[in-house]
Amino acid sequence: MHSAVVTSRGDRIRWVELPGEAPARVYLHGLGSTSPAYFTASAVHPLLAGRRSLLVDLLGHGHSDRPEGFAYTLEAHADALAQALVQAGIGGDADGANADGADAAGGAEVIAHSMGGAVAIVLAARHPRLVSRLVLVDANLDPQVSVRGVAGSSGIASYTEEEFLAGGWAEVRDRVTPHWWSTMRLAGRTALHRSAVHLAAGTTPTMRELLLELKIPRGFLHPEADGTLSGAEALEAAGVAVVALPDCGHNIMLDNPEAFARATAELLA
């Protein structure tokens, strides 16, 4: 377990690190999840093993700290993550770059699921030297309408913060799957709610618009059962490889690990 201080109050992002060759790979979880639980099997899969791999828990989630005073916007998540990656030696030396400002160590290959994908897009846009390639796993690209009574970020975002802390979290607990709750229960309740609210609201420009403008190699994996990805034609025209995978739902890496590893390895080749 590794960690880095990422706020002025001393809050730490923590990650499990697997040794291997450069360039590093960074794995990012979705809302209410934790990267070691969702990505360890993928990181050690024969098609993906051998790289230095950082399985990062975003602030408020998993092993990382849960500061009550943190904003938990996508931008705040991305900036905190950037500080952790710099301290881990991603994209340059400990000061962030070498003497002439060039990227000393190279950016990381970032593999990011759901909300983690939205954070990864913002990270790549705001801190481009830290990301060399991007594989998005059914990531959020657009703002969402908040809907009370559904599982997921839009359902959590339908509560006010006061409602959620007073008992809305228990209603969400009873709606989500046991697997998701097994990691969601580790998240700070304030962090979970604020992250969901800001994920539903999205960014300006939107995550989709930011993704279209990135110049690094990018891929987007989504479940074949969901049909054609919205806006796939424009994404592909901008150089984003859109790949539909069979026999899976939203948690592609867990539902069909072989297809996930194969597709991810091909996108990173």
Side-chain angles (χ1 to χ4, degrees), residues 132-228:
S132 62
R133 291 175 179 268
L134 189 57
V135 177
L136 302 170
V137 187
D138 212 21
N140 299 69
L141 298 181
D142 304 301
Q144 309 165 30
V145 176
S146 299
V147 181
R148 184 68 60 92
V150 303
S153 56
S154 62
I156 295 173
S158 69
Y159 296 89
T160 66
E161 187 167 309
E162 293 75 14
E163 290 172 336
F164 187 75
L165 297 178
W169 69 268
E171 296 174 4
V172 170
R173 174 199 61 196
D174 295 340
R175 285 197 294 267
V176 303
T177 64
H179 179 85
W180 195 8
W181 181 250
S182 71
T183 59
M184 188 183 288
R185 67 187 179 85
L186 303 176
R189 292 173 187 172
T190 299
L192 183 65
H193 181 263
R194 290 181 187 170
S195 294
V197 166
H198 291 295
L199 178 61
T203 56
T204 304
T206 66
M207 295 84 78
R208 182 183 296 272
E209 291 167 333
L210 293 173
L211 178 61
L212 289 170
E213 293 300 317
L214 294 177
K215 304 306 179 185
I216 57 175
R218 295 146 294 158
F220 192 104
L221 307 180
H222 70 101
E224 186 177 76
D226 289 352
T228 302

